[in-house]
Amino acid sequence: MGYPEDALARDEELLLHRHPHWKMLFVPALTFILSTAVAGFLVGVVLNQEGTTRTVLLGLVVVVWVAVVAWRCIPPLLRWRSTHFIVTDRRVLIRHGVLTHTGIDIPMNRISSVQFRHGLFDRMLGTGTLIIGSASEDPLEYDDIPQVQQVHSLLYHQVFDADDHRENQ
């Protein structure tokens, strides 16, 4: 069993599992493409050199390229990959972190409101901010939720159905 199924209770049903929207990977991808293009150009220039100068310059280009990719591209990808937004029939789980993991669980019966917000650009990309209000705390905001309107609707129906179920008992 893989994540997030291993984080669920035995009879808990997984309804939704999402990572943040891919838009948070746009700048790292652009950085990777541009740094690779510049490195390729510099390798072409360096290949015209002779002897040890060529070897040293090639090594320098490779080291700088690896440093840029390791600094500007890999961490955002790891952050994206290690951030999970999960909805089950009982709760909402948010997990994030690479080295230090952070998580929050919000039981469905504690949710008092569900809202979403997205501007024009977010609407074009199909993403937005989900705002979950609980009875005892300030609302929690989660940015870059893919298909935020569908997630909002799912949560609303889960909370509404849970309220109906409690009233009928």
Side-chain angles (χ1 to χ4, degrees):
M1 199 171 9
Y3 192 82
E5 289 85 8
D6 56 358
L8 304 180
R10 186 178 42 211
D11 55 346
E12 193 171 14
E13 181 184 350
L14 177 66
L15 302 175
L16 177 80
H17 176 215
R18 298 265 165 88
H19 293 284
H21 194 268
W22 59 264
K23 81 175 188 178
M24 71 183 287
L25 297 175
F26 179 75
V27 171
L30 188 61
T31 301
F32 179 79
I33 291 167
L34 291 176
S35 64
T36 302
V38 168
F41 174 77
L42 292 176
V43 164
V45 169
V46 167
L47 288 178
N48 292 331
Q49 302 296 320
E50 296 294 326
T52 18
T53 305
R54 179 192 335 192
T55 306
V56 169
L57 289 176
L58 279 175
L60 184 62
V61 167
V62 169
V63 166
V64 169
W65 179 81
V66 167
V68 167
V69 168
W71 175 50
R72 301 296 293 169
C73 301
I74 294 175
L77 179 63
L78 291 175
R79 270 192 301 277
W80 176 83
R81 188 74 180 118
S82 66
T83 301
H84 303 271
F85 182 82
I86 302 162
V87 178
T88 73
D89 58 339
R90 295 184 191 173
R91 59 190 169 144
V92 176
L93 297 86
I94 294 89
R95 302 285 188 265
H96 60 89
V98 178
L99 298 177
T100 303
H101 297 279
T102 305
I104 186 169
D105 293 6
I106 307 168
M108 288 293 179
N109 61 359
R110 303 274 301 180
I111 296 175
S112 60
S113 67
V114 182
Q115 304 171 24
F116 70 92
R117 175 179 62 235
H118 56 176
L120 179 62
F121 187 67
D122 282 343
R123 285 185 11 218
M124 289 188 310
L125 292 176
T127 184
T129 299
L130 186 68
I131 304 158
I132 300 174
S134 77
S136 63
E137 299 176 8
D138 290 335
L140 301 169
E141 294 190 17
Y142 301 101
D143 297 323
D144 299 327
I145 301 293
Q147 301 167 340
V148 71
Q149 285 179 295
Q150 292 174 351
V151 175
H152 169 267
S153 178
L154 172 72
L155 270 176
Y156 179 81
H157 289 297
Q158 279 301 116
V159 171
F160 183 72
D161 290 346
D163 284 346
D164 275 354
H165 183 36
R166 279 192 297 274
E167 288 174 6
N168 291 334
Q169 288 182 346

Short mmCIF file of all heavy atoms in Angstrom, two decimals, residues 17 35 44 68 107 117 123 125-126:
data_model
loop_
_atom_site.label_atom_id
_atom_site.label_comp_id
_atom_site.label_asym_id
_atom_site.label_seq_id
_atom_site.Cartn_x
_atom_site.Cartn_y
_atom_site.Cartn_z
N HIS A 17 -6.77 12.91 -3.61
CA HIS A 17 -5.36 13.10 -3.27
C HIS A 17 -4.75 13.98 -4.35
O HIS A 17 -4.75 13.60 -5.52
CB HIS A 17 -4.64 11.76 -3.19
CG HIS A 17 -3.17 11.91 -2.95
ND1 HIS A 17 -2.25 11.06 -3.50
CD2 HIS A 17 -2.46 12.81 -2.23
CE1 HIS A 17 -1.04 11.43 -3.12
NE2 HIS A 17 -1.15 12.50 -2.35
N SER A 35 19.16 27.54 -18.15
CA SER A 35 20.52 27.22 -17.70
C SER A 35 21.14 26.12 -18.56
O SER A 35 22.34 26.16 -18.84
CB SER A 35 20.53 26.82 -16.22
OG SER A 35 19.81 25.63 -16.01
N GLY A 44 29.91 24.75 -26.24
CA GLY A 44 30.29 24.93 -27.64
C GLY A 44 31.43 25.93 -27.80
O GLY A 44 32.35 25.71 -28.60
N VAL A 68 23.39 25.45 -10.25
CA VAL A 68 22.14 26.18 -10.54
C VAL A 68 20.95 25.23 -10.48
O VAL A 68 19.92 25.55 -9.87
CB VAL A 68 22.23 26.90 -11.90
CG1 VAL A 68 20.86 27.39 -12.35
CG2 VAL A 68 23.22 28.05 -11.84
N PRO A 107 -11.04 17.11 11.05
CA PRO A 107 -12.19 16.21 10.95
C PRO A 107 -13.35 16.91 10.24
O PRO A 107 -13.56 18.12 10.40
CB PRO A 107 -12.56 15.92 12.41
CG PRO A 107 -11.34 16.29 13.20
CD PRO A 107 -10.66 17.37 12.44
N ARG A 117 -11.10 30.81 -3.63
CA ARG A 117 -10.81 32.10 -4.23
C ARG A 117 -9.82 31.85 -5.38
O ARG A 117 -8.86 31.11 -5.23
CB ARG A 117 -10.18 33.02 -3.17
CG ARG A 117 -9.70 34.35 -3.67
CD ARG A 117 -9.10 35.22 -2.57
NE ARG A 117 -7.92 34.58 -1.98
CZ ARG A 117 -7.77 34.34 -0.68
NH1 ARG A 117 -8.71 34.64 0.18
NH2 ARG A 117 -6.68 33.77 -0.23
N ARG A 123 -7.99 31.06 -12.67
CA ARG A 123 -9.11 30.42 -13.35
C ARG A 123 -8.68 29.84 -14.70
O ARG A 123 -9.12 28.76 -15.08
CB ARG A 123 -10.26 31.41 -13.55
CG ARG A 123 -10.98 31.64 -12.26
CD ARG A 123 -12.21 32.50 -12.31
NE ARG A 123 -12.73 32.85 -13.60
CZ ARG A 123 -13.25 34.03 -13.90
NH1 ARG A 123 -13.27 34.99 -13.00
NH2 ARG A 123 -13.73 34.27 -15.08
N LEU A 125 -5.78 28.68 -15.38
CA LEU A 125 -4.96 27.49 -15.10
C LEU A 125 -5.73 26.40 -14.37
O LEU A 125 -5.22 25.29 -14.21
CB LEU A 125 -3.73 27.89 -14.28
CG LEU A 125 -2.71 28.76 -15.00
CD1 LEU A 125 -1.59 29.15 -14.04
CD2 LEU A 125 -2.15 28.04 -16.21
N GLY A 126 -6.92 26.72 -13.89
CA GLY A 126 -7.71 25.72 -13.17
C GLY A 126 -7.23 25.48 -11.75
O GLY A 126 -7.22 24.35 -11.29
#
